[in-house]
């Protein structure tokens, strides 16, 4: 009897994890494996697997110019978004790192984008860039149809996304700056260091863990951007803004090719995972804790 009680006492802590694993299994693991399963089939319009085709969906994608264009467009988009959002977040965090009158209002304004839905921001942005009634063309004196021009459409969507992501980056960098010891700046001032030298020699190395974390998070978020593309351009003009996430949505819910959409989802997962693993390898050399 005592042995049974001891065994139950050893097992009981793991019972508390069952609800957690049940939630993860339902909303994370099951969809993940179901996506891999569907990528091996042709499906009907309801998304049910009908004909097993093996790796045919993948081979079709790897010989499709449209898919390669989606990957290229997505990579360009990710570079613009990640660089722009991190630069804007870092710049605003540095500006608000010192106490001055009105700092609370500025901090609130810089953090505000994180509280704005991408769909609402995209609708406002669409009006601002309207070629006839848009404020931007009127202020600059230009006559450009920004969203309908293949040369500018991707940049417009990327700029909006970078601004939306800059709010959370501002909070990350502000927290990182608050953890840097002020005494090192005082010693640097005594040694005659300039503001630029302090920033590159002290601030950036001190922020390296936050920069790495923010870089990983921003890359993953940029790859998953969807709402702003759906509202602003719907993948056009042509395929100039056909990000891989929008391509997945279009194949699944417009073309009813759920197998092809699932295969694209798996490839997107592999791309993000590979980039994350590479960054964690590089992190050991460039991040100072």
């Amino acid at each position: 009897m005592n042995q049974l009680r001891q065994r139950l006492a050893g097992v009981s802590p793991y019972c508390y994890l069952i609800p957690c694993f049940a939630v993860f299994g339902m909303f994370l693991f099951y969809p993940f494996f179901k996506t891999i399963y569907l990528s091996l089939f042709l499906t009907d319009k309801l998304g049910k697997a009908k004909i097993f085709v093996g790796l045919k969906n993948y081979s079709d994608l790897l010989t499709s110019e449209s898919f390669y264009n989606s990957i290229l467009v997505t990579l360009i988009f990710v570079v613009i978004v990640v660089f722009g959002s991190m630069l804007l977040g870092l710049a605003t965090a540095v500006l608000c790192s010192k106490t001055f009158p009105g700092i609370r209002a500025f901090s609130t304004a810089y953090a505000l984008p994180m509280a704005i839905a991408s769909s609402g921001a995209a609708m406002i942005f669409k009006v601002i860039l309207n070629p006839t009634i848009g404020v931007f063309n009127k202020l600059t004196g230009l006559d450009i149809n920004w969203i309908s021009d293949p040369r500018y459409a991707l940049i417009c969507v990327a700029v909006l996304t970078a601004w939306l992501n800059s709010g959370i980056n501002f909070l990350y960098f502000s927290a990182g700056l608050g953890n840097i010891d002020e005494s090192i700046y005082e010693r640097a001032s005594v040694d005659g260091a300039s503001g630029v030298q302090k920033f590159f020699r002290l601030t950036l190395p001190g922020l390296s863990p936050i920069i790495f974390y923010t870089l990983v998070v921003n890359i993953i978020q940029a790859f998953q951007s969807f709402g702003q593309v759906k509202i602003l351009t719907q993948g056009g003009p042509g395929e100039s803004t056909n990000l891989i996430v929008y391509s997945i949505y279009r194949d699944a819910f417009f073309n009813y090719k759920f197998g092809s959409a699932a295969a694209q989802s798996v490839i997107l997962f592999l791309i993000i995972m590979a980039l994350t693993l590479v960054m964690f390898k590089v992190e050991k050399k460039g991040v100072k804790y």
Side-chain angles (χ1 to χ4, degrees), residues 1 9 31 43 63 78 130 148 173 189 203 263 272 289:
M1 193 67 178
T43 64
T63 55
V78 168
N130 188 283
S148 299
F173 288 126
S189 298
T203 303
I272 295 176
Y289 292 97

Side-chain angles (χ1 to χ4, degrees), residues 10 25 54 57 75 92 105 110 113 115 119 124 135 139 141 147 161 163-164 191 194 197 240 265 270 273-274 279 282:
N57 287 323
L75 292 176
T92 51
Y110 294 144
S119 56
I124 295 172
V135 176
L139 290 177
I147 297 175
T161 308
W163 176 72
L164 287 171
D191 293 336
S194 64
Q197 290 174 325
S240 60
S265 300
L270 293 175
M273 184 179 69
M279 286 188 291
V282 176

Side-chain angles (χ1 to χ4, degrees), residues 78-94:
V78 168
V79 170
I80 297 173
V81 170
V82 171
F83 179 77
S85 62
M86 291 186 66
L87 183 62
L88 184 57
L90 178 60
T92 51
V94 171

Side-chain angles (χ1 to χ4, degrees), residues 196-262:
V196 175
Q197 290 174 325
K198 291 178 186 178
F199 179 77
F200 285 102
R201 300 288 180 87
L202 300 176
T203 303
L204 286 184
L207 286 176
S208 57
I210 298 295
I211 292 174
F212 172 73
Y213 171 78
T214 307
L215 180 63
V216 173
V217 171
N218 276 262
I219 287 177
I220 295 174
Q221 287 181 338
F223 270 104
Q224 296 175 340
S225 300
F226 171 76
Q228 48 272 48
V229 178
K230 176 70 172 65
I231 292 175
L232 284 177
T233 63
Q234 297 184 350
E239 291 194 343
S240 60
T241 61
N242 188 33
L243 304 183
I244 189 168
V245 171
Y246 189 80
S247 178
I248 293 169
Y249 165 78
R250 187 177 61 182
D251 274 1
F253 298 105
F254 282 89
N255 300 328
Y256 301 107
K257 296 180 179 178
F258 290 93
S260 176

Side-chain angles (χ1 to χ4, degrees), residues 122-188:
M123 293 178 69
I124 295 172
F125 205 64
K126 191 172 185 178
V127 175
I128 292 174
L129 295 179
N130 188 283
T132 55
I133 63 172
V135 176
F136 190 77
N137 274 355
K138 292 184 180 299
L139 290 177
T140 58
L142 299 173
D143 185 20
I144 300 175
N145 195 343
W146 298 94
I147 297 175
S148 299
D149 193 324
R151 296 173 296 176
Y152 306 113
L154 182 64
I155 296 175
C156 291
V157 178
V159 168
L160 171 62
T161 308
W163 176 72
L164 287 171
N165 293 347
S166 67
I168 190 65
N169 292 341
F170 166 76
L171 294 183
Y172 289 146
F173 288 126
S174 294
L177 289 170
N179 290 328
I180 299 177
D181 190 358
E182 288 290 336
S183 63
I184 63 174
Y185 292 105
E186 296 174 0
R187 292 195 294 268

